[in-house]
Amino acid sequence: MEETNQSVVSEFVFRGLCDSKELQAFLMLPFSALYLMTAAGNLLVVLLIISDSHLHSPMYFLLANLSFVDFCLSSVTTPKLTTDLLKDNKTISFGGCMTQILCVHFFGGGEMVLLVTMAYDRYVAICKPLHYSSIMDKQKCLCLVLISWIIGFVHAMSQLAMILELPFCGPRVIDSFFCDIPLVIKLACMDTHTLGTLINADSGVLATTCFILLLISYTYILTTVHLHSKGGASKALSTCSSHITVVVLFFGPCIFIYLWPLNITWVDKFLAVFYTVVTPVLNPAIYTLRNKEIKNAIKRLVGQHMDSRVTF
């Protein structure tokens, strides 16, 4: 006989993106391609920044961490989503579901704080250029990145702690392609209205705080840039526009999922796909296409590869 407080449900069943088998089979190729592009793009950015001495600066150190987090965030959901597209029975174990929840909130929460850190870096570089090297030294960068990982971990553990001991004793179908907390807690055999509000508030406080800090930072930066000469501010404005684009792409879906839920199934699924699959592949593209130093680093890497082949 099972003990009280232990879950009787050993696995959950995903309903997936849609009911059409033909459409699911058609989506297999694009989602596989997106994940390969995400992995290749983000890992390329990380390797470029590690290997190229021209990119050993605080801004690129933070960018390398962002690319690594994006790779990890995408890897939590996209590979399973892709393989499930060809399966009739899309299941995940109870432990696997809890692990997905932990990792999504760990990497997602860490990325929110990391984006704030990147905004702070741009604020110091643009608004206090003479003090930049002393303020954003190596130790400070490592500290800021470590803080982002710690906050992400604490946030993820607080989310998991609230649902881990819920009694799951019957319903087990999740109308999505991954274990999203608002959908999982609906399957618990108890009234979870208060708990759902608490969980959304937990995510909402972190997301809202980070978003407000980002708005303040970039407003101050853009005001400073506007007051400077056009020539000296163009490069800074170009860099900030890339950062702002990434912030909008990341926080947009989060706001609708956790802060302003629409409760429309197809909209929720679209936002979840955008948040976990599309955004991680767009970030490296935005930075590489708009960043001259990254493009030069790619050229140097290609040039070195060509030279080594000629020498051989």
Side-chain angles (χ1 to χ4, degrees), residues 69-70 72-77 96-114 147-164 176 178-185 195-207 210 250-251 253-259 272 275-276:
V69 170
D70 275 330
C72 293
L73 181 61
S74 179
S75 298
V76 173
T77 57
C97 184
M98 296 301 111
T99 301
Q100 268 198 346
I101 288 172
L102 177 69
C103 291
V104 165
H105 285 269
F106 175 40
F107 295 121
E111 181 158 345
M112 288 181 189
V113 182
L114 191 57
I147 288 170
S148 72
W149 285 100
I150 290 172
I151 292 177
F153 180 74
V154 171
H155 167 66
M157 289 303 293
S158 68
Q159 294 277 289
L160 188 63
M162 286 188 275
I163 65 166
L164 198 55
S176 185
F178 77 106
C179 288
D180 198 10
I181 285 186
L183 299 177
V184 173
I185 62 173
L195 181 63
T197 304
L198 188 61
I199 286 173
N200 279 343
D202 185 6
S203 294
V205 166
L206 178 62
C210 290
F250 184 81
F251 277 90
C254 289
I255 288 170
F256 285 103
I257 291 172
Y258 293 105
L259 300 180
Y275 169 68
T276 60

Side-chain angles (χ1 to χ4, degrees), residues 148-259:
S148 72
W149 285 100
I150 290 172
I151 292 177
F153 180 74
V154 171
H155 167 66
M157 289 303 293
S158 68
Q159 294 277 289
L160 188 63
M162 286 188 275
I163 65 166
L164 198 55
E165 295 300 320
L166 285 177
F168 295 98
C169 53
R172 61 193 189 105
V173 178
I174 299 172
D175 193 7
S176 185
F177 60 91
F178 77 106
C179 288
D180 198 10
I181 285 186
L183 299 177
V184 173
I185 62 173
K186 287 181 181 179
L187 304 180
C189 302
M190 61 175 286
D191 181 12
T192 56
H193 177 73
T194 304
L195 181 63
T197 304
L198 188 61
I199 286 173
N200 279 343
D202 185 6
S203 294
V205 166
L206 178 62
T208 304
T209 302
C210 290
F211 192 61
I212 290 173
L213 289 173
L214 286 164
L215 284 178
I216 294 171
S217 299
Y218 284 117
T219 300
Y220 198 95
I221 289 169
L222 293 174
T223 303
T224 304
V225 168
H226 179 70
L227 297 175
H228 286 176
S229 62
K230 290 183 180 179
S234 58
K235 182 180 177 182
L237 187 59
S238 175
T239 303
C240 281
S241 63
S242 298
H243 286 222
I244 292 169
T245 304
V246 169
V247 167
V248 171
L249 289 173
F250 184 81
F251 277 90
C254 289
I255 288 170
F256 285 103
I257 291 172
Y258 293 105
L259 300 180

Side-chain angles (χ1 to χ4, degrees), residues 4-73:
T4 312
N5 293 335
Q6 282 195 342
S7 171
V8 224
V9 174
S10 61
E11 64 179 18
F12 294 100
V13 179
F14 292 138
R15 191 163 281 170
L17 291 177
C18 59
D19 296 325
S20 169
K21 291 183 180 179
E22 292 77 12
L23 182 56
Q24 289 187 70
F26 173 77
L27 291 173
M28 167 97 179
L29 185 59
F31 277 116
S32 299
L34 277 173
Y35 180 67
L36 289 174
M37 289 166 62
T38 300
N42 283 294
L43 292 178
L44 174 62
V45 170
V46 173
L47 291 173
L48 274 176
I49 292 171
I50 291 173
S51 61
D52 196 315
S53 59
H54 295 86
L55 302 179
H56 290 177
S57 67
M59 183 179 80
Y60 293 110
F61 174 71
L62 297 174
L63 176 56
N65 278 273
L66 178 67
S67 293
F68 179 71
V69 170
D70 275 330
F71 165 70
C72 293
L73 181 61

Side-chain angles (χ1 to χ4, degrees), residues 107-149:
F107 295 121
E111 181 158 345
M112 288 181 189
V113 182
L114 191 57
L115 288 170
V116 174
T117 301
M118 294 176 75
Y120 174 72
D121 172 72
R122 290 301 84 203
Y123 160 76
V124 176
I126 294 168
C127 302
K128 299 183 178 181
L130 298 179
H131 304 284
Y132 179 73
S133 58
S134 59
I135 296 175
M136 292 300 293
D137 56 22
K138 188 176 180 179
Q139 187 176 1
K140 182 76 168 284
C141 285
L142 287 171
C143 250
L144 290 171
V145 169
L146 184 60
I147 288 170
S148 72
W149 285 100

